Amino acid sequence: MTEHRIPLAGVIGNPVAHSRSPRLHRHWLRTYGIEGDYLPLHVTEDHLAQVLRALPHMGFVGVNVTIPHKVAVLQIADHISDRATLIGAANTLIFRKDGKIHADNTDGYGFISNLRQHVPDWSPQSAPSVVFGAGGAARAVIVSLIDAGAPLIHLANRTRPKAEALRDEFGARIQVVDWVQAGNVLEAAGTVINTTSLGMVGQSEFRVPLDGLRPGTVVTDLVYTPLRTRLLDEAEAAGCITVDGLGMLLHQGVPGFERWFGVRPEVNDATRAAVLA
Ligand code: NAP
């Protein structure tokens, strides 16, 4: 007789107590009446491989991965999706029935889905994009913008060589702009994205001059604490269409939840409220 098993998922990180993913996935589990749970799992680098190999034997169907493990899990996974390979990091693991670990990256999917939900006629093909930052989140954003047909991406990062390395890796559609000159390329932009941690609670403010922003430009900030950043406030005052970063977090959870629990969850006002509660 096969024993009835309750499917478990979770988020692996260090630290992990701040993660909003447990609220998100538990909300969906409740909403869809699914018997299961989602737990924050504090795991140090030394124990990462050991923990990942043990979890499938404890009822886990998969996990999300957050700082600092997003790159290291690629060394442990048995299969890596094309998008995780391109981005060079994974945020979603699926523990398959055959015992193999499949690694995926859904950050770019979350980024694009958030913009499409809030700006249904958003068209990344029609004008250049401007990306601030060249860290892990920027990689996911750039890969997904290229995939969505963006013709030109102006990339500005405080540490310029990191932006140049991304251009060398992802190709000619990326044009590196000096951090202090970045205000100059805003005028022609269709989409502007802050992928740096500037503006986040406890970090410095985002202080790039924004007077080049034009009405109708779509401006989004990956920072979601606070929800309304200075960038979004200034962009709104300039007549831009602004989209906060919380939706990206919600949407990036969709593919994992669907693979683990068999239901594709909806991202709506109740989802936002549950995560903000
Ligand atoms: P990361 O890899 O550490 O990269 C940090 C980026 O911020 C780098 O480009 C860094 O520039 C820049 N930066 C940091 N301090 C700066 C300063 N004082 N002045 C100018 N630039 C500065 O981090 P990440 O994983 O890409 O995450 C970046 C942000 O995105 C975080 O706030 C994270 O919470 C957020 N995020 C949100 C979502 C979402 O779902 N909404 C998803 C992923 C990430 P240098 O290269 O010069 O250091």
Side-chain angles (χ1 to χ4, degrees), residues 134-137 157-159 162 195-198 200 222 245 248-249:
N157 193 51
R158 172 181 62 175
T159 312
K162 282 205 213 165
T195 78
T196 75
S197 44
L198 289 174
M200 194 172 161
L222 266 54
M248 174 172 167
L249 174 81

Side-chain angles (χ1 to χ4, degrees), residues 111 129-143 145 153-167 170 174-180 182 185-186 192-198 206-208 220-223 231:
F111 166 71
S129 300
V130 178
V131 174
F132 292 99
R139 293 180 68 90
V141 164
I142 287 168
V143 166
L145 281 173
I153 300 168
H154 295 293
L155 179 61
N157 193 51
R158 172 181 62 175
T159 312
R160 188 181 165 114
K162 282 205 213 165
E164 287 166 350
L166 288 190
R167 182 204 48 211
F170 294 120
I174 298 178
Q175 203 168 79
V176 175
V177 194
D178 220 68
W179 180 254
V180 290
V185 288
L186 293 175
V192 175
I193 307 122
N194 174 37
T195 78
T196 75
S197 44
L198 289 174
F206 184 89
R207 291 214 177 277
V208 173
T220 187
D221 201 328
L222 266 54
V223 168
L231 168 64

Side-chain angles (χ1 to χ4, degrees), residues 112-128:
I112 296 282
S113 304
N114 186 35
L115 287 180
R116 290 210 191 289
Q117 184 174 38
H118 291 280
V119 192
D121 61 354
W122 175 62
S123 156
Q125 300 97 331
S126 54

Side-chain angles (χ1 to χ4, degrees), residues 44-110:
T44 61
E45 283 92 327
D46 297 355
H47 295 111
L48 182 64
Q50 202 183 345
V51 167
L52 286 179
R53 291 289 166 205
L55 286 174
H57 303 289
M58 300 160 66
F60 279 81
V61 287
V63 285
N64 285 126
V65 182
T66 187
I67 288 167
H69 303 312
K70 283 182 166 190
V71 175
V73 291
L74 295 185
Q75 302 300 319
I76 301 165
D78 303 295
H79 298 277
I80 303 170
S81 71
D82 289 347
R83 54 188 178 176
T85 303
L86 262 176
I87 295 167
N91 70 343
T92 305
L93 301 181
I94 292 127
F95 302 150
R96 298 186 348 184
K97 291 213 168 71
D98 63 5
K100 305 273 195 225
I101 298 177
H102 176 77
D104 195 7
N105 193 313
T106 65
D107 276 337
Y109 165 84

